[in-house]
């Protein structure tokens, strides 16, 4: 299951970006136990792995300024990034954010990756998925957003997820209402 939320150029401080990400993490934690523990993405969960607490201080360590040139210097207008995963090998979930970018080259975004079977499991109802979507849109003040299966995105063969569409779609320019496409609910 793929949640992709995107917003246009918006210069924000590191602290503002951390606050947005905290909002996202608190929304997720309030919805399901799978979202209550997080680790730095890329780290192997072991007895010594440091769990990230949902505090401004812990997240501050994760947020890095983006660097995209050949000498690895900070490019302020590219904003900040952070990524976490829940450490559950059988039900791995990741969440990442790019925030505070104010250039046309990089889009601000939040991506939540869940196993596709999450939707059809006993862990989450259709109503809950929509409520999470609405809350995440509010946390990041998204312009475009989509929820779809990873398989659907792969079948479409690339492109921007919000243009490909999905089961849940949001476009701030057209309407503040979420468009639900029941015909795309299949996870095949």
């Amino acid at each position: 299951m793929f949640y992709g939320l995107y917003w246009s150029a918006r210069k924000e401080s590191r602290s503002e970006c951390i606050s947005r990400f905290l909002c996202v993490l608190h929304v997720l934690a309030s919805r399901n136990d799978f979202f209550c523990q997080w680790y730095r993405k890329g780290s192997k969960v072991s007895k010594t792995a440091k769990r990230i607490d949902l505090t401004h201080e812990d997240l501050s360590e994760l947020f890095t300024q983006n660097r995209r040139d050949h000498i690895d210097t900070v490019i302020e207008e590219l904003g900040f990034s952070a990524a976490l995963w829940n450490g559950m090998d059988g039900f791995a979930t990741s969440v990442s954010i790019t925030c505070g970018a104010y250039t046309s080259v990089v889009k601000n975004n939040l991506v939540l990756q869940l196993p596709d079977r999450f939707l059809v499991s006993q862990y989450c109802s259709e109503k809950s998925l929509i409520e999470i979507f609405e809350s995440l849109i509010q946390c990041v003040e998204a312009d475009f957003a989509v929820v779809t299966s990873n398989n659907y995105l792969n079948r479409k063969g690339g492109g921007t997820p919000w243009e490909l569409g999905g089961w849940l779609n949001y476009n701030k320019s057209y309407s503040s209402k979420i468009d639900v496409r029941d015909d795309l609910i299949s996870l095949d």
Side-chain angles (χ1 to χ4, degrees), residues 117-128:
R117 64 192 165 108
F118 189 77
L119 177 63
V120 294
S121 72
Q122 72 271 24
Y123 305 113
C124 195
S125 67
E126 181 179 319
K127 180 182 176 198
S128 182

Side-chain angles (χ1 to χ4, degrees), residues 53-71:
D53 290 326
L54 302 185
T55 65
H56 203 278
E57 184 179 347
D58 262 19
L59 288 179
S60 180
E61 296 174 19
L62 292 176
F63 270 76
T64 58
Q65 279 198 291
N66 289 323
R67 305 163 188 267
R68 296 281 197 267
D69 65 12
H70 66 283
I71 56 175

Side-chain angles (χ1 to χ4, degrees), residues 87-153:
M88 300 173 136
D89 284 329
F91 226 81
T93 297
S94 66
V95 61
S96 62
I97 190 169
T98 296
C99 182
Y102 55 100
T103 175
S104 61
V105 177
V106 173
K107 269 237 186 281
N108 292 298
N109 65 79
L110 174 76
V111 173
L112 174 64
Q113 287 275 1
L114 299 152
D116 279 343
R117 64 192 165 108
F118 189 77
L119 177 63
V120 294
S121 72
Q122 72 271 24
Y123 305 113
C124 195
S125 67
E126 181 179 319
K127 180 182 176 198
S128 182
L129 289 174
I130 294 170
E131 289 170 351
I132 290 169
F133 191 52
E134 291 171 334
S135 296
L136 295 180
I137 289 168
Q138 291 173 3
C139 284
V140 298
E141 299 178 56
D143 295 329
F144 309 99
V146 64
V147 175
T148 190
S149 76
N150 295 305
N151 289 336
Y152 178 77
L153 288 177

